[in-house]
């Protein structure tokens, strides 16, 4: 039985696998994409994942570079 979080991550990954640039995301980056999709702020993501806010922001920056977007809105449009 998969947790709801894991099911959502798998769903996002299924939607992303057809796009080459999104296949390069690490499991942690996928976890952050999932949390961003839920509308959670970077500060709260840091708290949830027990990492610092600068580390969270670095992950988000790396996600944007890999996916070739400049904002959360662009990222969300790409994974829908």
């Amino acid at each position: 039985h998969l947790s709801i979080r894991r099911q959502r991550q798998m769903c996002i990954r299924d939607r992303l696998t057809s796009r080459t640039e999104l296949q390069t995301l690490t499991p942690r980056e996928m976890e952050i994409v999932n949390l961003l999709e839920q509308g959670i702020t970077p500060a709260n993501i840091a708290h949830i994942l027990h990492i610092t806010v600068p580390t969270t922001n670095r992950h988000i920056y790396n996600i944007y570079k890999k996916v070739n977007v400049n904002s959360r809105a662009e990222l969300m449009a790409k994974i829908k």
Side-chain angles (χ1 to χ4, degrees):
H1 178 262
L2 295 174
S3 70
I4 292 173
R5 177 187 289 183
R6 184 70 182 132
Q7 289 173 357
R8 288 189 55 75
Q9 287 174 341
M10 289 175 65
C11 182
I12 290 171
R13 187 170 294 281
D14 289 346
R15 285 183 278 160
L16 300 181
T17 54
S18 63
R19 299 179 181 103
T20 303
E21 66 218 7
L22 296 168
Q23 292 178 356
T24 62
L25 296 180
T26 66
R28 178 62 110 188
E29 290 167 346
M30 286 301 303
E31 190 171 17
I32 290 172
V33 168
N34 178 49
L35 294 169
L36 289 170
E37 184 182 38
Q38 294 175 50
I40 299 173
T41 66
N44 285 331
I45 290 171
H47 178 75
I48 291 165
L49 299 180
H50 306 287
I51 59 178
T52 66
V53 174
T55 298
T56 302
N57 288 333
R58 174 54 63 179
H59 282 303
I60 293 169
Y61 172 81
N62 291 338
I63 291 164
Y64 288 1
K65 282 188 61 117
K66 288 179 180 182
V67 180
N68 197 28
V69 297
N70 296 307
S71 69
R72 178 187 268 192
E74 287 180 32
L75 177 63
M76 294 302 107
K78 212 159 217 190
I79 66 170
K80 295 290 179 197

